[in-house]
Amino acid sequence: MPISAPLMSHFEHPELIHHQSYINGKWVDAFSGDTFAIINPSTGEHLIDMTNVGAIETNNAIAAAQAALAEWRKVLPKEKARLLRKWHQLIIDNQDDLARLMTLEQGKPFAESKGEVLYGASFIDWFADEARRLYGDVIPTFAQDKRLLTVKQPVGVVAAITPWNFPIAMITRKAGPALAAGCTIVIKPSDETPLCALALAELSHQAGIPAGVINVVVGKNAVEIGNVLTSHADVKKLSFTGSTPVGKLLLSQCAQTVKRTSMELGGNAPFIVFDDADLDAAVEGAIASKYRNAGQTCVCANRMLVQAGIYDAFSKKLAARVQELSTGDGFNDKVQIGPLINNAAINKVSELVESAIQNGATALVGGKPADALGTRFYEPTVLTGVTQDMSIFHREIFGPVAPLLKFETEAEAIAMANDTPFGLASYFYSQNIARIWRVSEALDYGMVGINEGIVSTEVAPFGGIKESGSGREGSKYGIDEYVEIKYLCMGGLS
Ligand code: SIN
Protein backbone atom coordinates (compact mmCIF):
# COMPACT_ATOMS: atom_id res chain seq x y z
CA MET A 1 0.00 0.00 0.00
CA PRO A 2 1.58 3.31 -1.01
CA ILE A 3 0.04 5.47 1.75
CA SER A 4 -0.16 4.38 5.35
CA ALA A 5 -3.55 4.66 7.06
CA PRO A 6 -2.15 6.54 10.10
CA LEU A 7 -0.69 9.16 7.76
CA MET A 8 -4.02 9.66 5.99
CA SER A 9 -6.03 9.87 9.17
CA HIS A 10 -4.31 13.11 10.33
CA PHE A 11 -5.47 15.09 7.32
CA GLU A 12 -8.61 17.12 6.80
CA HIS A 13 -8.14 16.72 3.02
CA PRO A 14 -6.28 13.44 2.42
CA GLU A 15 -6.72 13.97 -1.32
CA LEU A 16 -3.71 16.31 -1.03
CA ILE A 17 -1.45 13.29 -0.49
CA HIS A 18 -0.08 11.88 -3.73
CA HIS A 19 2.60 9.34 -4.50
CA GLN A 20 2.73 9.77 -8.30
CA SER A 21 4.17 12.45 -10.55
CA TYR A 22 1.84 15.07 -12.04
CA ILE A 23 2.18 15.32 -15.80
CA ASN A 24 -0.24 16.97 -18.22
CA GLY A 25 -2.90 17.22 -15.53
CA LYS A 26 -2.72 13.50 -14.66
CA TRP A 27 -1.20 11.46 -11.85
CA VAL A 28 1.27 9.05 -13.42
CA ASP A 29 3.31 6.06 -12.29
CA ALA A 30 6.90 5.41 -13.28
CA PHE A 31 7.22 3.32 -16.45
CA SER A 32 9.77 1.22 -14.62
CA GLY A 33 7.32 0.52 -11.77
CA ASP A 34 10.06 1.65 -9.36
CA THR A 35 9.29 3.34 -6.05
CA PHE A 36 11.35 4.82 -3.24
CA ALA A 37 10.61 5.51 0.41
CA ILE A 38 9.89 8.93 1.91
CA ILE A 39 11.12 9.05 5.50
CA ASN A 40 10.16 11.29 8.40
CA PRO A 41 13.56 12.75 9.43
CA SER A 42 12.42 13.15 13.02
CA THR A 43 11.24 9.60 13.72
CA GLY A 44 12.78 7.60 10.86
CA GLU A 45 9.22 6.43 10.10
CA HIS A 46 8.49 5.30 6.54
CA LEU A 47 5.80 7.73 5.34
CA ILE A 48 4.99 6.59 1.83
CA ASP A 49 6.32 4.81 -1.26
CA MET A 50 6.80 7.36 -4.01
CA THR A 51 6.88 6.41 -7.68
CA ASN A 52 10.36 6.94 -9.05
CA VAL A 53 10.27 8.59 -12.47
CA GLY A 54 13.24 9.29 -14.74
CA ALA A 55 14.15 10.48 -18.22
CA ILE A 56 11.13 9.10 -20.10
CA GLU A 57 8.57 10.77 -17.85
CA THR A 58 10.60 14.01 -17.73
CA ASN A 59 10.55 14.14 -21.53
CA ASN A 60 6.78 13.61 -21.37
CA ALA A 61 6.42 16.45 -18.88
CA ILE A 62 8.41 18.78 -21.14
CA ALA A 63 6.25 17.76 -24.11
CA ALA A 64 3.12 18.51 -22.06
CA ALA A 65 4.50 21.90 -20.99
CA GLN A 66 5.45 22.73 -24.59
CA ALA A 67 1.99 21.76 -25.85
CA ALA A 68 0.26 23.82 -23.13
CA LEU A 69 2.44 26.87 -23.80
CA ALA A 70 0.67 27.90 -27.01
CA GLU A 71 -2.65 28.47 -25.19
CA TRP A 72 -1.31 29.59 -21.79
CA ARG A 73 0.77 32.43 -23.22
CA LYS A 74 -2.41 33.79 -24.86
CA VAL A 75 -4.51 33.74 -21.68
CA LEU A 76 -5.35 37.34 -20.79
CA PRO A 77 -3.46 38.78 -17.80
CA LYS A 78 -6.68 39.24 -15.87
CA GLU A 79 -7.58 35.56 -16.28
CA LYS A 80 -4.06 34.41 -15.35
CA ALA A 81 -4.32 36.59 -12.26
CA ARG A 82 -7.69 35.06 -11.39
CA LEU A 83 -6.35 31.50 -11.65
CA LEU A 84 -3.25 32.35 -9.60
CA ARG A 85 -5.41 33.99 -6.95
CA LYS A 86 -7.61 30.89 -6.77
CA TRP A 87 -4.50 28.74 -6.32
CA HIS A 88 -3.26 31.13 -3.62
CA GLN A 89 -6.60 30.93 -1.78
CA LEU A 90 -6.60 27.12 -1.88
CA ILE A 91 -3.08 27.07 -0.41
CA ILE A 92 -4.26 29.34 2.40
CA ASP A 93 -7.40 27.23 2.95
CA ASN A 94 -5.22 24.11 3.28
CA GLN A 95 -2.56 25.73 5.45
CA ASP A 96 -2.75 23.14 8.24
CA ASP A 97 -2.68 20.09 5.98
CA LEU A 98 0.22 21.50 3.94
CA ALA A 99 2.11 22.34 7.14
CA ARG A 100 1.45 18.83 8.45
CA LEU A 101 2.94 17.32 5.30
CA MET A 102 5.93 19.65 5.60
CA THR A 103 6.66 18.76 9.21
CA LEU A 104 6.27 15.07 8.38
CA GLU A 105 8.67 15.01 5.45
CA GLN A 106 11.05 17.89 6.30
CA GLY A 107 10.94 18.00 10.10
CA LYS A 108 10.61 21.73 10.79
CA PRO A 109 8.41 22.68 13.76
CA PHE A 110 4.71 22.81 12.84
CA ALA A 111 4.43 26.57 13.60
CA GLU A 112 7.37 27.20 11.27
CA SER A 113 5.76 24.99 8.60
CA LYS A 114 2.55 27.01 8.88
CA GLY A 115 4.66 30.15 8.44
CA GLU A 116 6.29 28.71 5.34
CA VAL A 117 2.88 27.90 3.82
CA LEU A 118 1.92 31.59 4.15
CA TYR A 119 5.34 32.72 2.91
CA GLY A 120 5.05 30.36 -0.08
CA ALA A 121 1.49 31.46 -0.85
CA SER A 122 2.54 35.12 -0.78
CA PHE A 123 4.59 34.64 -3.98
CA ILE A 124 1.50 33.39 -5.86
CA ASP A 125 -0.53 36.35 -4.61
CA TRP A 126 2.22 38.84 -5.49
CA PHE A 127 2.75 37.50 -9.00
CA ALA A 128 -1.01 37.29 -9.65
CA ASP A 129 -0.85 41.09 -9.45
CA GLU A 130 2.38 41.31 -11.44
CA ALA A 131 0.74 39.36 -14.30
CA ARG A 132 -1.31 42.50 -14.98
CA ARG A 133 1.68 44.86 -14.96
CA LEU A 134 3.98 43.35 -17.54
CA TYR A 135 4.46 46.63 -19.37
CA GLY A 136 6.60 47.25 -22.42
CA ASP A 137 8.01 50.65 -23.41
CA VAL A 138 7.69 53.24 -26.12
CA ILE A 139 11.24 54.44 -26.81
CA PRO A 140 11.88 58.03 -27.97
CA THR A 141 12.65 57.61 -31.66
CA PHE A 142 15.89 58.36 -33.52
CA ALA A 143 14.20 59.03 -36.91
CA GLN A 144 11.06 60.93 -38.03
CA ASP A 145 9.60 57.93 -39.90
CA LYS A 146 10.18 55.32 -37.19
CA ARG A 147 8.59 54.40 -33.89
CA LEU A 148 10.32 52.06 -31.42
CA LEU A 149 8.65 49.81 -28.85
CA THR A 150 9.39 46.89 -26.57
CA VAL A 151 7.04 44.09 -25.59
CA LYS A 152 7.66 41.44 -22.95
CA GLN A 153 7.00 37.83 -23.91
CA PRO A 154 7.27 34.56 -21.94
CA VAL A 155 10.62 32.78 -22.28
CA GLY A 156 8.77 29.48 -22.88
CA VAL A 157 8.97 26.21 -20.97
CA VAL A 158 10.72 26.65 -17.61
CA ALA A 159 12.44 23.91 -15.60
CA ALA A 160 12.60 24.42 -11.83
CA ILE A 161 14.84 22.30 -9.61
CA THR A 162 14.00 22.96 -5.97
CA PRO A 163 15.46 22.00 -2.57
CA TRP A 164 14.14 20.26 0.55
CA ASN A 165 14.70 23.07 3.06
CA PHE A 166 11.66 25.12 1.93
CA PRO A 167 9.51 22.50 0.21
CA ILE A 168 6.73 24.96 -0.69
CA ALA A 169 8.19 28.46 -0.86
CA MET A 170 11.04 27.58 -3.22
CA ILE A 171 8.48 26.18 -5.68
CA THR A 172 5.98 29.04 -5.51
CA ARG A 173 8.79 31.61 -5.79
CA LYS A 174 9.51 30.14 -9.26
CA ALA A 175 6.08 28.92 -10.42
CA GLY A 176 4.34 32.22 -9.48
CA PRO A 177 6.39 34.47 -11.77
CA ALA A 178 6.73 31.80 -14.47
CA LEU A 179 2.96 31.38 -14.82
CA ALA A 180 2.30 35.11 -14.48
CA ALA A 181 4.69 35.75 -17.38
CA GLY A 182 2.89 33.19 -19.56
CA CYS A 183 5.45 30.37 -19.21
CA THR A 184 4.65 26.74 -18.45
CA ILE A 185 6.77 24.80 -15.98
CA VAL A 186 8.27 21.40 -15.15
CA ILE A 187 9.20 21.19 -11.47
CA LYS A 188 11.64 18.66 -10.08
CA PRO A 189 11.34 18.90 -6.27
CA SER A 190 13.87 17.38 -3.92
CA ASP A 191 13.35 13.63 -3.53
CA GLU A 192 13.46 14.19 0.26
CA THR A 193 10.30 16.38 0.22
CA PRO A 194 8.04 15.63 -2.77
CA LEU A 195 4.78 15.44 -0.79
CA CYS A 196 4.46 19.22 -0.47
CA ALA A 197 5.25 19.70 -4.16
CA LEU A 198 2.58 17.20 -5.20
CA ALA A 199 0.05 18.78 -2.83
CA LEU A 200 0.72 22.14 -4.51
CA ALA A 201 0.12 20.47 -7.89
CA GLU A 202 -3.16 19.02 -6.61
CA LEU A 203 -4.27 22.51 -5.49
CA SER A 204 -3.25 24.04 -8.84
CA HIS A 205 -5.46 21.39 -10.48
CA GLN A 206 -8.36 22.28 -8.17
CA ALA A 207 -7.79 25.96 -8.99
CA GLY A 208 -8.39 25.21 -12.66
CA ILE A 209 -4.87 25.85 -13.95
CA PRO A 210 -4.95 23.99 -17.29
CA ALA A 211 -3.30 20.61 -17.85
CA GLY A 212 0.37 20.84 -18.84
CA VAL A 213 0.90 24.34 -17.42
CA ILE A 214 2.34 22.88 -14.19
CA ASN A 215 4.06 19.48 -14.16
CA VAL A 216 5.87 17.87 -11.25
CA VAL A 217 8.35 15.02 -11.80
CA VAL A 218 9.49 13.12 -8.72
CA GLY A 219 12.48 10.83 -8.95
CA LYS A 220 15.50 9.68 -7.02
CA ASN A 221 17.85 9.91 -9.99
CA ALA A 222 18.53 13.65 -9.93
CA VAL A 223 21.35 13.32 -12.47
CA GLU A 224 19.14 11.60 -15.04
CA ILE A 225 16.26 14.06 -14.62
CA GLY A 226 18.63 17.04 -14.46
CA ASN A 227 20.32 15.95 -17.70
CA VAL A 228 16.99 15.95 -19.54
CA LEU A 229 15.89 19.30 -18.11
CA THR A 230 19.18 21.00 -18.95
CA SER A 231 19.69 19.52 -22.42
CA HIS A 232 16.18 19.55 -23.90
CA ALA A 233 15.84 22.17 -26.64
CA ASP A 234 12.25 23.00 -25.64
CA VAL A 235 13.28 24.03 -22.12
CA LYS A 236 14.22 27.69 -22.46
CA LYS A 237 15.03 28.50 -18.86
CA LEU A 238 16.28 26.78 -15.72
CA SER A 239 15.66 28.17 -12.26
CA PHE A 240 17.61 26.33 -9.57
CA THR A 241 17.86 26.65 -5.80
CA GLY A 242 20.51 24.48 -4.19
CA SER A 243 24.22 24.09 -3.61
CA THR A 244 26.92 25.98 -5.51
CA PRO A 245 28.67 22.82 -6.86
CA VAL A 246 25.39 21.48 -8.30
CA GLY A 247 24.54 24.96 -9.63
CA LYS A 248 27.87 25.13 -11.47
CA LEU A 249 27.27 21.73 -13.03
CA LEU A 250 23.75 22.69 -14.16
CA LEU A 251 25.04 25.99 -15.57
CA SER A 252 27.63 24.14 -17.65
CA GLN A 253 24.95 21.75 -18.91
CA CYS A 254 22.62 24.65 -19.80
CA ALA A 255 25.40 26.29 -21.80
CA GLN A 256 25.01 23.67 -24.56
CA THR A 257 21.56 25.04 -25.50
CA VAL A 258 22.22 28.58 -24.18
CA LYS A 259 19.32 28.52 -21.72
CA ARG A 260 18.36 31.45 -19.54
CA THR A 261 19.20 30.61 -15.92
CA SER A 262 18.48 31.86 -12.41
CA MET A 263 20.69 30.39 -9.71
CA GLU A 264 20.05 30.72 -5.98
CA LEU A 265 23.08 28.94 -4.56
CA GLY A 266 24.98 28.54 -1.31
CA GLY A 267 25.80 31.26 1.20
CA ASN A 268 28.25 32.00 3.98
CA ALA A 269 26.42 34.84 5.70
CA PRO A 270 28.36 37.06 8.09
CA PHE A 271 26.41 38.44 11.06
CA ILE A 272 28.39 41.41 12.36
CA VAL A 273 27.79 42.94 15.78
CA PHE A 274 29.52 46.28 16.34
CA ASP A 275 30.25 47.75 19.77
CA ASP A 276 27.54 50.36 19.16
CA ALA A 277 24.81 47.76 18.54
CA ASP A 278 21.66 47.36 20.61
CA LEU A 279 22.79 44.17 22.36
CA ASP A 280 19.35 42.68 23.02
CA ALA A 281 18.20 43.34 19.47
CA ALA A 282 21.41 41.76 18.12
CA VAL A 283 20.89 38.62 20.21
CA GLU A 284 17.26 38.26 19.08
CA GLY A 285 18.31 38.88 15.45
CA ALA A 286 21.02 36.24 15.80
CA ILE A 287 18.52 33.69 17.13
CA ALA A 288 16.09 34.39 14.28
CA SER A 289 18.75 34.36 11.59
CA LYS A 290 20.80 31.41 12.82
CA TYR A 291 18.29 28.94 14.25
CA ARG A 292 15.37 29.27 11.79
CA ASN A 293 14.76 25.83 10.22
CA ALA A 294 17.50 24.40 12.51
CA GLY A 295 20.06 26.47 10.61
CA GLN A 296 19.16 24.89 7.30
CA THR A 297 18.67 27.97 5.11
CA CYS A 298 20.99 29.52 2.54
CA VAL A 299 20.59 32.88 4.28
CA CYS A 300 21.25 31.67 7.85
CA ALA A 301 23.95 33.57 9.73
CA ASN A 302 26.97 31.32 9.18
CA ARG A 303 29.67 33.35 10.95
CA MET A 304 29.07 35.75 13.83
CA LEU A 305 31.72 38.48 13.80
CA VAL A 306 31.59 40.38 17.09
CA GLN A 307 33.58 43.50 18.03
CA ALA A 308 35.95 43.11 20.99
CA GLY A 309 34.14 45.59 23.27
CA ILE A 310 30.82 43.69 23.14
CA TYR A 311 32.13 40.15 22.51
CA ASP A 312 31.85 38.76 26.03
CA ALA A 313 28.44 40.29 26.73
CA PHE A 314 27.07 39.13 23.36
CA SER A 315 28.40 35.58 23.67
CA LYS A 316 27.01 35.20 27.21
CA LYS A 317 23.55 36.50 26.27
CA LEU A 318 23.41 34.48 23.09
CA ALA A 319 24.47 31.31 24.89
CA ALA A 320 21.76 31.88 27.54
CA ARG A 321 19.09 32.30 24.85
CA VAL A 322 20.31 29.26 22.89
CA GLN A 323 20.24 27.18 26.07
CA GLU A 324 16.48 27.86 26.24
CA LEU A 325 15.80 26.50 22.73
CA SER A 326 13.95 23.25 22.79
CA THR A 327 14.91 20.51 20.32
CA GLY A 328 12.71 17.60 19.22
CA ASP A 329 9.86 16.46 17.03
CA GLY A 330 8.21 19.27 15.08
CA PHE A 331 4.71 18.28 16.21
CA ASN A 332 5.57 19.05 19.83
CA ASP A 333 4.34 22.64 20.46
CA LYS A 334 7.31 23.51 22.66
CA VAL A 335 9.93 22.57 20.06
CA GLN A 336 11.83 25.29 18.19
CA ILE A 337 14.60 23.16 16.64
CA GLY A 338 13.65 20.11 14.58
CA PRO A 339 15.88 17.41 13.10
CA LEU A 340 18.43 17.85 10.33
CA ILE A 341 17.34 16.42 7.02
CA ASN A 342 19.49 13.26 6.95
CA ASN A 343 22.46 11.47 8.49
CA ALA A 344 24.91 13.07 6.05
CA ALA A 345 23.85 16.48 7.42
CA ILE A 346 24.48 15.35 11.00
CA ASN A 347 27.92 14.00 10.03
CA LYS A 348 28.91 17.22 8.26
CA VAL A 349 27.88 19.48 11.16
CA SER A 350 29.58 17.16 13.67
CA GLU A 351 32.83 17.18 11.69
CA LEU A 352 32.87 20.99 11.41
CA VAL A 353 32.23 21.45 15.14
CA GLU A 354 34.71 18.75 16.23
CA SER A 355 37.41 20.18 14.01
CA ALA A 356 36.80 23.73 15.36
CA ILE A 357 37.01 22.45 18.95
CA GLN A 358 40.20 20.47 18.23
CA ASN A 359 41.70 23.69 16.85
CA GLY A 360 40.90 25.80 19.91
CA ALA A 361 37.20 26.78 19.80
CA THR A 362 34.98 26.30 22.89
CA ALA A 363 31.35 25.16 22.93
CA LEU A 364 29.50 27.50 25.33
CA VAL A 365 26.32 25.52 24.64
CA GLY A 366 25.78 22.27 22.74
CA GLY A 367 28.58 20.96 20.56
CA LYS A 368 27.38 17.46 19.71
CA PRO A 369 24.51 15.43 18.21
CA ALA A 370 21.45 15.15 20.48
CA ASP A 371 21.53 11.35 20.34
CA ALA A 372 18.91 10.89 23.04
CA LEU A 373 16.28 12.37 20.68
CA GLY A 374 17.07 10.24 17.62
CA THR A 375 19.73 9.93 14.94
CA ARG A 376 19.13 13.24 13.15
CA PHE A 377 19.12 15.84 15.90
CA TYR A 378 21.95 18.24 16.71
CA GLU A 379 22.17 20.34 19.85
CA PRO A 380 21.75 24.10 19.28
CA THR A 381 25.34 25.24 19.66
CA VAL A 382 27.37 28.41 20.31
CA LEU A 383 31.12 28.23 19.67
CA THR A 384 33.49 30.94 20.86
CA GLY A 385 37.14 31.44 19.95
CA VAL A 386 36.60 30.55 16.29
CA THR A 387 39.27 31.82 13.89
CA GLN A 388 39.54 32.41 10.15
CA ASP A 389 41.78 29.40 9.57
CA MET A 390 39.09 26.94 10.74
CA SER A 391 36.99 25.15 8.14
CA ILE A 392 33.78 26.23 9.91
CA PHE A 393 34.59 29.81 8.86
CA HIS A 394 34.60 28.87 5.17
CA ARG A 395 31.96 26.15 4.80
CA GLU A 396 28.17 26.54 4.81
CA ILE A 397 27.19 24.82 8.10
CA PHE A 398 23.48 24.13 7.44
CA GLY A 399 22.91 23.26 11.08
CA PRO A 400 22.09 24.99 14.41
CA VAL A 401 25.65 26.11 15.16
CA ALA A 402 26.77 29.72 15.73
CA PRO A 403 30.55 30.22 15.44
CA LEU A 404 31.72 33.49 17.08
CA LEU A 405 34.82 35.37 15.92
CA LYS A 406 36.28 38.47 17.57
CA PHE A 407 37.35 41.57 15.59
CA GLU A 408 38.79 44.98 16.55
CA THR A 409 38.05 47.45 13.74
CA GLU A 410 35.32 48.06 11.17
CA ALA A 411 37.82 47.53 8.33
CA GLU A 412 38.81 44.17 9.81
CA ALA A 413 35.13 43.10 10.06
CA ILE A 414 34.44 44.00 6.43
CA ALA A 415 37.56 42.18 5.24
CA MET A 416 36.55 39.07 7.22
CA ALA A 417 32.96 39.27 6.01
CA ASN A 418 34.00 39.53 2.36
CA ASP A 419 36.66 36.79 2.67
CA THR A 420 34.52 34.17 0.92
CA PRO A 421 33.54 33.26 -2.64
CA PHE A 422 29.89 33.49 -1.55
CA GLY A 423 27.69 36.60 -1.59
CA LEU A 424 24.08 35.82 -0.68
CA ALA A 425 22.89 37.39 2.61
CA SER A 426 24.76 39.39 5.24
CA TYR A 427 23.67 41.09 8.45
CA PHE A 428 25.03 43.72 10.80
CA TYR A 429 23.97 45.52 13.96
CA SER A 430 24.98 49.13 14.67
CA GLN A 431 23.22 52.29 15.79
CA ASN A 432 25.61 54.65 14.03
CA ILE A 433 23.99 55.99 10.87
CA ALA A 434 27.27 56.84 9.10
CA ARG A 435 28.57 53.32 9.80
CA ILE A 436 25.29 51.84 8.59
CA TRP A 437 25.79 53.41 5.15
CA ARG A 438 29.54 52.63 5.01
CA VAL A 439 29.13 48.98 5.92
CA SER A 440 26.02 48.42 3.76
CA GLU A 441 27.92 49.68 0.73
CA ALA A 442 31.11 47.75 1.54
CA LEU A 443 29.56 44.30 2.01
CA ASP A 444 29.84 42.19 -1.18
CA TYR A 445 26.43 40.55 -0.84
CA GLY A 446 23.11 40.54 -2.70
CA MET A 447 21.17 41.19 0.53
CA VAL A 448 22.02 43.09 3.70
CA GLY A 449 19.98 42.93 6.92
CA ILE A 450 20.64 46.09 8.95
CA ASN A 451 19.56 45.65 12.58
CA GLU A 452 17.44 42.82 11.22
CA GLY A 453 17.97 39.04 11.22
CA ILE A 454 15.33 38.03 8.64
CA VAL A 455 15.12 39.73 5.25
CA SER A 456 12.93 37.34 3.25
CA THR A 457 9.63 38.63 1.85
CA GLU A 458 7.81 38.37 -1.46
CA VAL A 459 8.01 42.15 -1.99
CA ALA A 460 11.83 42.41 -2.03
CA PRO A 461 14.44 40.96 -4.41
CA PHE A 462 16.03 37.76 -3.07
CA GLY A 463 19.32 36.66 -4.63
CA GLY A 464 23.07 36.59 -4.47
CA ILE A 465 26.26 37.68 -6.18
CA LYS A 466 29.65 35.93 -6.68
CA GLU A 467 29.31 32.13 -6.32
CA SER A 468 25.94 32.52 -4.58
CA GLY A 469 24.27 32.84 -7.96
CA SER A 470 22.49 35.19 -10.29
CA GLY A 471 18.99 36.48 -10.84
CA ARG A 472 16.44 37.77 -8.34
CA GLU A 473 13.29 36.13 -7.01
CA GLY A 474 10.21 37.91 -5.67
CA SER A 475 9.60 41.68 -5.90
CA LYS A 476 8.92 43.71 -9.04
CA TYR A 477 12.17 42.30 -10.50
CA GLY A 478 11.26 38.61 -10.14
CA ILE A 479 9.10 38.37 -13.26
CA ASP A 480 11.91 39.74 -15.47
CA GLU A 481 13.65 36.35 -15.11
CA TYR A 482 10.79 34.75 -17.07
CA VAL A 483 10.36 37.19 -19.97
CA GLU A 484 12.21 38.12 -23.12
CA ILE A 485 12.24 41.77 -24.13
CA LYS A 486 11.36 42.02 -27.81
CA TYR A 487 12.21 45.24 -29.66
CA LEU A 488 9.80 46.39 -32.39
CA CYS A 489 10.97 48.98 -34.91
CA MET A 490 8.13 50.39 -37.04
CA GLY A 491 9.40 52.18 -40.16
CA GLY A 492 7.87 53.99 -43.10
CA LEU A 493 5.71 56.24 -40.93
CA SER A 494 6.40 59.57 -42.66
C1 SIN B 1 16.82 29.50 1.13
O1 SIN B 1 17.34 29.04 2.13
O2 SIN B 1 17.26 29.22 0.03
C2 SIN B 1 15.62 30.40 1.18
C3 SIN B 1 15.46 31.14 2.42
C4 SIN B 1 14.36 32.18 2.38
O3 SIN B 1 13.63 32.31 1.40
O4 SIN B 1 14.25 32.88 3.36
Side-chain angles (χ1 to χ4, degrees), residues 428 436-444 448:
F428 70 92
I436 283 174
W437 277 106
R438 271 196 314 272
V439 175
S440 301
E441 288 169 7
L443 286 170
D444 291 336
V448 184

Side-chain angles (χ1 to χ4, degrees), residues 58 158-167 170-171 174-175 185-191 215 217 219 221-231 235 237-243 246-247 249-251 253-254 262-265 473 482:
T58 306
V158 171
I161 302 183
T162 59
W164 50 263
N165 60 343
F166 288 87
M170 297 305 101
I171 291 177
K174 300 178 192 316
I185 193 164
V186 178
I187 301 162
K188 189 238 166 267
S190 162
D191 57 54
N215 306 274
V217 289
N221 194 338
V223 173
E224 182 178 314
I225 296 173
N227 277 339
V228 176
L229 293 175
T230 54
S231 64
V235 174
K237 149 114 200 171
L238 172 71
S239 180
F240 171 68
T241 297
S243 75
V246 175
L249 179 69
L250 294 171
L251 274 172
Q253 294 177 184
C254 284
S262 302
M263 294 277 148
E264 201 261 272
L265 307 178
E473 297 194 296
Y482 297 89

Side-chain angles (χ1 to χ4, degrees), residues 10 30 33 50 88 112 126 139 149 198 207 209 216 218 230 234 268 287 310 337 364 380 400 409 421 445:
H10 287 95
M50 187 62 56
H88 166 259
E112 234 181 289
W126 174 265
I139 298 170
L149 305 94
L198 295 171
I209 292 177
V216 181
V218 179
T230 54
D234 285 346
N268 183 5
I287 294 284
I310 203 170
I337 306 285
L364 287 187
T409 65
Y445 288 84

Side-chain angles (χ1 to χ4, degrees), residues 8 36 101 116 118 142 167 169 174 186 192 200 252 272 292 332 347-348 362 371 376 386 390 392 396 449 455 474 480:
M8 293 291 252
F36 65 99
L101 276 181
E116 185 186 330
L118 296 185
F142 66 95
K174 300 178 192 316
V186 178
E192 310 265 12
L200 282 179
S252 70
I272 310 171
R292 172 180 176 222
N332 177 338
N347 293 341
K348 176 187 163 194
T362 305
D371 290 333
R376 297 184 184 181
V386 172
M390 295 178 183
I392 204 162
E396 193 174 26
V455 295
D480 293 345

